[in-house]
Amino acid sequence: MKENLPAIQRPAVLRLAVPVPLYQLFDYAPPPEFPADCACIGARFEIKFGRQTLIGICIETDPDEPHPEPKPAQRLLDVQPLLDAPALRLGQWLADYYHHPIGEVLPLLLPPMLRRAVTLDEAVPSRTVRAYRRTRLDAAQQEALAAELKRSPKKRAALEHLDQGPQTRLELLEQGFSSPTLNALLKLSAIEAFETELADPPAGARTPAPSAAVTAAPLILNAQQEQAVSAITARLGTFQPFLLDGVTGSGKTEVYLRVIEALLGRAGQALVLIPEIALTPQTQARFQARFTATACLHSQVADRERLRIWQGCRDGSISVLIGTRSAALLPFAQLGLIIVDEEHDASYTQLDGLRYSARDLAVKRAADSGVPLVLGSATPALESIRNADAGRYQRLELNERAGGARFPEMQLLDIRGQRLHDGLSPPLLREIRAHLDSGAQVLIFINRRGYAPSLICSRCGTVLECPACERPLTYHRRRGEQRGSLQCHHCGRQQPEPERCPACTHPNLTPVGIGTQRSELALRERFPDVTVHRIDRDTARSKQRLEAQFAAINRGQPAILVGTQILAKGHHFPHVTLVALLNADAGLTAPDFRAGERTAQLITQVAGRAGRAERPGQVTIQTLQPEQPLLRALIQAGYRGFARSELERREAAGLPPYAAMLLLRAEAAQAADAEGLLRWLLRQVRNRLHGTELLGPVPAPQPKLANRYRFQLLGLHPNRGPLHALARELLATLSSDAARPHLRRVRWSIDIDPYDSL
């Protein structure tokens, strides 16, 4: 037995997780300059990996069977490890559960700036930042600027924003103004750049006040809301999942706020997950009106601000974090509560790389931290309903709309045989006019962006397709444009609208179908006396434009809102009294067993935007299938009635949530290569299925994407254990030497609990 050893001894070998798509760890020797008392585990090391310089994260020292001659690491980046033991355990669980290389998982737990070869001190932003302000121009400069602003609404909007006073570069970028716009204004001498000190404290890293609640007064709760708040606050400090099953407009957000208020009195931190960036402005405003030390994380947050937020959550100076999917990966000093709003939403599922569910990760983190989890939705996922039925979640119901608002009346409008005007039937047009004349607002829902889903030759019938995906190109045309463009919504390909058919050279190419752009133009023509707001992924890219639209809508003037499912998620539009769904039938024909569930959720969520204040609401669903059982069930029994019948159907078919599922995908430039890999793999594991039903290989529902052909194997088992055992068998076989000839031209991925099989 060795005696008199120092508390921390210099290791001989570092076992590192390296960000490469390999299911193994790599041994390195410590770098030449290495502190003897360094705690290595969780620290980053700069290493040479082949010809690359990469960042490895240490997860073990002096392993039992080390590499006999490990190469030395280049440099230690962290004297104090960035990933503590809970973070490393979380990363290992993600790697094990989703069968993804640990070296690609651990960097996701760090902000982007710390995934590079910089120390934390080097990455921390300087207190001096770049800012911009307006300049004085002479007459000639003003004339040139005025001409430029007529051509560029973006530059005009940026200048109007700077009229309010100087702004830092980060603030302008977060408002949706791009670097090219700012650089162009600098060249025009319309603005000037200068250096300034950051205000103290920086955004997202404020020290919480002794009491986190601030001036905004809480709303009065009804009895069901009171019961929900009491039930959740009673379990603070212990793990308990709650399903807050509340109808649209029932005041779920106020329940969240009250529970967080109780938590902050105990100096805990709250993580609030929301599905879409479009929800962040209004959600952030409501939370910041009630609490200090609130931060918001989403895809448009700049890297330096991400680092500040990561530090603030880690050191406890941020009390409430509101964020989209990736916020579930952040560290917390004293996590006390996790809330997942709109828990059913598909946006919580990552569809590439590490294919994880942020909702399921939230369950895991709440269990590990011993804190309550609140899953809120008006249309819970069938998995969550099943967990509540089995007693794993405690169900809290909110059956009444807050403030005494009434539920909207729903009706199916049979449009068979009717002549539609840009997708709008004559009865619907009359309803729209009646609601606008009464001073109300109208929401038109159509879940297709662009002008039309396809462009077709009127002579030969050729449909213009994306050559890389073999799917129709979506036709886009903005107001005032003579010619539009064609875009593939699958691979991103774009091209100008051709003047003639590429097959027969006929000049008449006809847009077929309805998208949000076409609906917007048609509504502007038919209702020129009101403002039409289009809200879809194309318009939501600018945070500033989105906030401006919501502000205009909330002023309450008669208006028409037209948009995609972005409008369906959590928004409160108190002046909307009519909601019309133009293409509710489309989702029913998708080749996925979840199609009915998704369609029912979408219809219910969109319908919930109507009648949320004192005025009654109406929901009109245009349909070519008025006898369709799903639509009838929704009208007659609501979402809960639909969910019961759908659960019975899933149980009889042996589908989730009554079975665990995995999906193994393969794609290649030649279809035979992708299919061949899966057929070879199936032969190798046929006697090691662990009771799992393995279906395929078959072409994916979308068989070609970005010039690559896609095939898949689907695995089903009533229990997760055998399914994970099969996943390990598949990975071991794919990692063997025998697999190399089959993998030369094929990419593959494995998806556990897949939400989307397309």
Side-chain angles (χ1 to χ4, degrees):
M1 181 176 179
K2 298 179 181 179
E3 298 179 359
N4 301 321
L5 291 176
I8 300 177
Q9 189 176 31
R10 176 186 172 94
V13 176
L14 308 170
R15 183 150 284 178
L16 305 182
V18 180
V20 292
L22 298 173
Y23 290 80
Q24 65 182 94
L25 302 171
F26 298 88
D27 290 347
Y28 283 80
E33 297 181 4
F34 186 75
D37 60 348
C38 175
C40 302
I41 296 178
R44 298 170 303 141
F45 290 82
E46 184 178 351
I47 60 171
K48 283 291 185 180
F49 189 86
R51 297 181 180 180
Q52 305 177 77
T53 298
L54 300 177
I55 307 301
I57 297 175
C58 181
I59 64 172
E60 187 181 357
T61 58
D62 293 328
D64 291 338
E65 298 181 3
H67 190 283
E69 297 180 0
K71 294 186 298 184
Q74 300 292 106
R75 180 165 65 119
L76 170 69
L77 295 173
D78 309 312
V79 177
Q80 295 296 323
L82 293 186
L83 297 179
D84 58 12
L88 290 173
R89 286 195 297 269
L90 177 65
Q92 190 64 61
W93 178 83
L94 284 164
D96 291 344
Y97 187 86
Y98 292 106
H99 301 275
H100 198 77
I102 183 75
E104 293 188 333
V105 171
L106 292 181
L108 300 177
L109 305 182
L110 297 171
M113 293 192 72
L114 295 180
R115 299 173 198 170
R116 302 194 285 267
V118 295
T119 67
L120 182 58
D121 288 340
E122 292 168 340
V124 171
S126 167
R127 300 294 293 162
T128 302
V129 297
R130 195 174 216 207
Y132 298 92
R133 60 192 169 205
R134 289 294 306 266
T135 58
R136 293 184 178 180
L137 303 177
D138 58 31
Q141 289 174 320
Q142 288 179 352
E143 184 176 349
L145 177 62
E148 177 65 24
L149 296 184
K150 287 181 180 179
R151 297 191 295 268
S152 176
K154 292 181 180 179
K155 296 186 184 73
R156 184 171 64 251
L159 285 180
E160 290 172 353
H161 197 71
L162 284 168
D163 283 337
Q164 303 169 20
Q167 298 280 312
T168 68
R169 180 179 179 83
L170 178 60
E171 289 170 336
L172 289 166
L173 292 175
E174 288 182 342
Q175 290 296 321
F177 301 113
S178 65
S179 294
T181 296
L182 298 175
N183 292 337
L185 290 173
L186 284 169
K187 290 181 180 179
L188 291 166
S189 300
I191 63 174
E192 65 179 359
F194 65 99
E195 300 297 317
T196 186
E197 290 289 315
L198 276 176
D200 218 354
R206 297 188 293 270
T207 301
S211 174
V214 290
T215 55
L219 302 175
I220 298 175
L221 301 182
N222 60 34
Q224 288 187 324
Q225 288 174 307
E226 289 276 10
Q227 292 171 1
V229 171
S230 298
I232 300 167
T233 54
R235 298 304 301 269
L236 290 175
T238 60
F239 172 60
Q240 173 61 57
F242 294 93
L243 177 60
L244 187 60
D245 186 354
V247 298
T248 54
S250 59
K252 294 183 287 294
T253 302
E254 188 62 30
V255 172
Y256 304 154
L257 292 166
R258 292 294 186 92
V259 176
I260 292 173
E261 186 175 343
L263 170 71
L264 297 184
R266 306 183 186 191
Q269 294 171 286
L271 168 62
V272 182
L273 296 179
I274 57 176
E276 288 279 359
I277 185 175
L279 292 177
T280 56
Q282 67 171 22
T283 305
Q284 188 175 9
R286 287 195 66 178
F287 278 73
Q288 287 184 335
R290 295 278 278 274
F291 309 120
T292 60
T294 298
C296 195
L297 182 68
H298 52 76
S299 61
Q300 290 189 3
V301 173
D303 283 354
R304 288 195 182 276
E305 182 66 6
R306 285 176 176 271
L307 176 58
R308 292 194 191 100
I309 291 172
W310 180 85
Q311 287 180 296
C313 292
R314 187 172 181 245
D315 65 25
S317 59
I318 289 177
S319 295
V320 182
L321 176 66
I322 303 162
T324 49
R325 183 175 57 237
S326 63
L329 299 168
L330 264 63
F332 289 87
Q334 196 170 349
L335 185 62
L337 172 70
I338 301 177
I339 294 169
V340 185
D341 192 30
E342 307 292 354
E343 63 87 31
H344 66 279
D345 199 277
S347 299
Y348 286 124
T349 303
Q350 176 72 28
L351 298 179
D352 55 13
L354 173 64
R355 290 171 164 83
Y356 70 96
S357 162
R359 180 195 65 200
D360 296 348
L361 176 57
V363 178
K364 170 65 177 173
R365 293 203 68 177
D368 288 349
S369 303
V371 303
L373 168 74
V374 182
L375 303 174
S377 178
T379 55
L382 296 188
E383 286 82 0
S384 298
I385 294 175
R386 166 72 171 152
N387 281 325
D389 291 345
R392 290 186 285 270
Y393 297 172
Q394 181 179 341
R395 178 185 274 110
L396 303 171
E397 294 188 350
L398 302 178
N399 298 320
E400 304 172 5
R401 282 193 151 187
R406 288 177 285 173
F407 291 106
E409 296 182 3
M410 296 181 67
Q411 66 173 356
L412 295 178
L413 178 56
D414 185 356
I415 58 173
R416 291 175 297 183
Q418 294 200 32
R419 183 178 180 181
L420 303 183
H421 305 276
D422 293 304
L424 303 163
S425 65
L428 179 58
L429 289 168
R430 290 193 292 270
E431 288 181 359
I432 293 172
R433 173 48 67 191
H435 282 260
L436 293 174
D437 288 346
S438 70
Q441 296 176 342
V442 173
L443 189 156
I444 306 295
F445 173 81
I446 176 167
N447 206 24
R448 287 185 180 274
R449 61 190 179 98
Y451 186 88
S454 57
L455 197 62
I456 298 179
C457 176
S458 59
R459 173 190 283 175
C460 69
T462 294
V463 179
L464 275 68
E465 291 187 339
C466 172
C469 301
E470 297 179 352
R471 299 291 293 269
L473 289 161
T474 300
Y475 181 52
H476 285 249
R477 191 178 76 196
R478 292 188 290 268
R479 185 170 42 158
E481 289 184 340
Q482 293 299 316
R483 307 194 70 79
S485 64
L486 294 170
Q487 298 181 18
C488 178
H489 289 177
H490 303 284
C491 72
R493 177 189 179 94
Q494 297 188 34
Q495 64 187 58
E497 176 188 354
E499 295 184 0
R500 295 178 177 275
C501 172
C504 71
T505 71
H506 188 63
N508 287 341
L509 295 171
T510 305
V512 175
I514 306 297
T516 50
Q517 289 180 336
R518 188 170 189 173
S519 294
E520 176 193 18
L521 295 174
L523 290 164
R524 287 182 186 277
E525 291 176 2
R526 291 190 168 271
F527 303 98
D529 54 323
V530 298
T531 302
V532 178
H533 300 278
R534 176 167 62 89
I535 300 176
D536 54 24
R537 191 183 303 174
D538 297 319
T539 62
R541 288 174 181 156
S542 167
K543 179 182 175 184
Q544 184 227 13
R545 179 179 177 182
L546 193 62
E547 289 182 346
Q549 282 188 300
F550 286 149
I553 292 166
N554 289 329
R555 283 194 285 270
Q557 299 300 317
I560 300 175
L561 291 59
V562 57
T564 59
Q565 57 185 320
I566 291 178
L567 284 175
K569 301 176 181 180
H571 296 293
H572 179 63
F573 299 125
H575 306 286
V576 169
T577 59
L578 172 64
V579 168
L581 295 90
L582 302 191
N583 63 339
D585 304 319
L588 301 176
T589 58
D592 191 303
F593 73 94
R594 299 186 194 272
E597 177 186 4
R598 292 172 180 161
T599 302
Q601 289 168 339
L602 191 56
I603 291 175
T604 304
Q605 292 283 343
V606 175
R609 302 313 107 196
R612 295 171 68 95
E614 67 277 359
R615 301 178 66 175
Q618 176 185 337
V619 178
T620 298
I621 303 173
Q622 286 194 163
T623 178
L624 292 167
Q625 307 174 64
E627 305 303 323
Q628 212 282 337
L630 168 61
L631 294 177
R632 285 292 173 190
L634 276 176
I635 296 294
Q636 296 168 5
Y639 181 77
R640 293 176 183 176
F642 155 79
R644 296 298 169 202
S645 61
E646 182 68 5
L647 281 169
E648 292 174 1
R649 187 185 71 84
R650 297 267 191 95
E651 185 175 19
L655 292 170
Y658 298 95
M661 178 183 285
L662 71 78
L663 197 63
L664 184 71
R665 297 179 173 93
E667 60 176 67
Q670 301 297 323
D673 291 333
E675 184 180 14
L677 170 67
L678 296 185
R679 291 198 179 279
W680 173 83
L681 184 63
L682 187 59
R683 291 195 297 270
Q684 304 307 305
V685 302
R686 190 177 296 279
N687 297 323
R688 294 175 285 154
L689 297 181
H690 300 276
T692 298
E693 182 182 12
L694 204 55
L695 306 175
V698 295
Q702 184 175 332
K704 189 179 180 184
L705 179 66
N707 281 322
R708 298 184 71 84
Y709 293 91
R710 309 160 76 232
F711 284 76
Q712 59 191 38
L713 280 171
L714 180 67
L716 288 166
H717 196 286
N719 301 306
R720 294 188 182 280
L723 193 81
H724 282 288
L726 172 62
R728 289 189 289 272
E729 298 279 7
L730 293 169
L731 290 177
T733 305
L734 287 164
S735 302
S736 67
D737 291 341
R740 290 181 182 176
H742 303 277
L743 292 172
R744 286 175 184 158
R745 295 176 293 274
V746 183
R747 291 199 297 255
W748 61 271
S749 64
I750 191 166
D751 196 347
I752 301 295
D753 306 326
Y755 184 81
D756 192 338
S757 64
L758 299 180

